[in-house]
Amino acid sequence: MPPRKRPPANSKFQVRKPADPGVHLEPFLNYLEAECGMAANTVSAYRSDITQFLDWYRSQPSCPLSQVDLKFLSGYLQHLNKRRLAATTVSRHLVTIKLFFRYLVLEGILAESVADLLNSPKLWKYLPKVLSPEKVNELLMAPCNADRYPLRDRAILAMMYATGCRVSEIVNLPLDSVKLAEGYARCVGKGNKERMVSLNPVAVAAVEAYLKYERPDLTRRNPAEQALFLGRGGKQLSRIMVWNIVKKNAARVGCSKEVSPHTLRHSFATHMMAGGAEIRALQELLGHANIRTTQIYTHVDHSRLKAVHQMYHPRG
């Protein structure tokens, strides 16, 4: 993880006196953003996790950082389990703590990281929930005249399904990065990695309608705004607003309450696999750093497995 290395054991390196861990929070977050190149949303999640840990740390009997041991940290994991958090959430908290303690070692605050001795909880592999192509079509047509900006909402839904982009990538999409005539857009994903995503005719038509009839009105209050999708005040739409747009329209077409913006991303990937897309190409389209993340969609698409079995099995 860290680009820097711990000083060798035979150096004249001196471990500094441990201080209250709270004073290291901001430097740690700056380190993650500046040196590790983590995205702002990821850094924000680490801030939340470490803040919760520090609140619990201060509620315990006085224990200098240099005396924190495996038993002490196990107590925090027990505290998280008592809150009945999901195993995935507990695992994420543990990763955050490990990164924080490794940072303290790198900075000379601690001589070693006892957090590395903790084992992560075993996680079940949950298959992502997806919508059928028919239900996706209903969702894309759900925005209506009762909405304040139905063309914008329809364009957002169409873009998310056409590209498989994350919600943060959609709200941060600049106007000049969308090439409707050529049928593609450039988005920036995790780790500030840029990739090109394709736009289907439905998405192109939806965005064209939004740009022609609604966006000019939205830009009157803030003509300099460069984001593609804008809110009522003419500023870049927030992730929460997109979340609400998806939830509202999903409820209209009778979708489960569990449907979220990421459901459209899962649906995009699953339908691509069902259509015969190569997994390496899908990895590039989704912006996954590791192909193992993409491989989950090979387990979701049972119809493709069945077709392969029927085609190649002697008794198929």
Side-chain angles (χ1 to χ4, degrees):
M1 150 241 171
R4 290 181 287 168
K5 295 183 178 180
R6 180 180 171 186
N10 58 356
S11 71
K12 295 182 179 180
F13 167 76
Q14 297 293 326
V15 177
R16 297 198 296 268
K17 183 178 180 180
D20 179 82
V23 302
H24 305 299
L25 176 58
E26 291 303 325
F28 169 63
L29 297 175
N30 292 335
Y31 162 75
L32 293 180
E33 185 172 9
E35 295 197 33
C36 298
M38 293 187 178
N41 292 336
T42 305
V43 174
S44 177
Y46 281 131
R47 177 190 292 275
S48 175
D49 292 348
I50 289 296
T51 299
Q52 293 180 55
F53 170 71
L54 293 177
D55 289 342
W56 177 85
Y57 175 90
R58 296 187 184 105
S59 70
Q60 302 303 303
S62 180
C63 179
L65 273 175
S66 58
Q67 296 180 17
V68 168
D69 56 15
L70 196 59
K71 182 178 179 180
F72 186 88
L73 294 179
S74 296
Y76 181 62
L77 296 183
Q78 292 176 3
H79 165 73
L80 295 177
N81 287 321
K82 288 180 180 178
R83 291 169 54 190
R84 296 187 176 181
L85 300 179
T88 52
T89 304
V90 175
S91 180
R92 190 200 68 211
H93 276 271
L94 179 55
V95 169
T96 304
I97 292 172
K98 287 183 177 182
L99 289 176
F100 183 58
F101 273 76
R102 290 175 191 173
Y103 167 78
L104 296 178
V105 172
L106 290 171
E107 290 297 317
I109 309 302
L110 296 176
E112 59 183 359
S113 172
V114 67
D116 287 334
L117 300 176
L118 290 170
N119 292 324
S120 299
K122 292 185 177 180
L123 304 177
W124 289 93
K125 290 185 178 180
Y126 294 99
L127 298 180
K129 296 184 180 298
V130 300
L131 302 177
S132 67
E134 295 75 21
K135 186 60 71 173
V136 170
N137 290 334
E138 291 181 31
L139 179 60
L140 297 187
M141 298 303 297
C144 59
N145 292 332
D147 299 321
R148 192 178 187 93
Y149 300 107
L151 297 180
R152 180 202 62 187
D153 296 353
R154 187 172 299 167
I156 290 173
L157 296 172
M159 282 286 289
M160 295 185 72
Y161 177 64
T163 64
C165 283
R166 304 174 180 92
V167 62
S168 58
E169 296 168 350
I170 288 293
V171 298
N172 291 322
L173 204 61
L175 179 61
D176 60 5
S177 70
V178 181
K179 310 298 181 182
L180 297 179
E182 293 80 5
Y184 74 89
R186 286 192 176 93
C187 69
V188 178
K190 292 184 177 181
N192 292 324
K193 294 180 180 179
E194 186 181 79
R195 71 182 189 279
M196 188 173 70
V197 292
S198 297
L199 305 179
N200 58 32
V202 174
V204 170
V207 174
E208 285 179 340
Y210 159 66
L211 293 177
K212 183 177 181 180
Y213 296 108
E214 289 184 354
R215 196 177 188 279
D217 180 60
L218 291 169
T219 56
R220 288 178 182 176
R221 295 185 181 181
N222 192 15
E225 179 58 62
Q226 296 301 308
L228 173 62
F229 295 113
L230 307 179
R232 184 172 55 183
K235 296 183 179 180
Q236 176 179 313
L237 207 62
S238 68
R239 297 167 62 212
I240 299 301
M241 281 299 299
V242 174
W243 185 281
N244 292 335
I245 289 169
V246 173
K247 286 286 187 181
K248 176 178 65 177
N249 288 286
R252 284 176 175 170
V253 298
C255 291
S256 166
K257 293 182 179 180
E258 297 179 357
V259 171
S260 69
H262 222 65
T263 306
L264 285 172
R265 178 172 164 87
H266 291 319
S267 301
F268 160 82
T270 303
H271 298 165
M272 288 287 288
M273 288 293 294
E278 294 294 332
I279 191 169
R280 286 290 183 183
L282 185 59
Q283 178 190 3
E284 292 294 326
L285 291 172
L286 293 172
H288 286 159
N290 195 317
I291 197 170
R292 285 181 296 179
T293 310
T294 317
Q295 284 175 338
I296 188 172
Y297 298 108
T298 63
H299 300 289
V300 176
D301 180 26
H302 299 293
S303 62
R304 187 180 183 187
L305 294 178
K306 184 177 180 180
V308 171
H309 180 272
Q310 291 177 341
M311 181 180 295
Y312 296 107
H313 194 278
R315 303 293 184 183

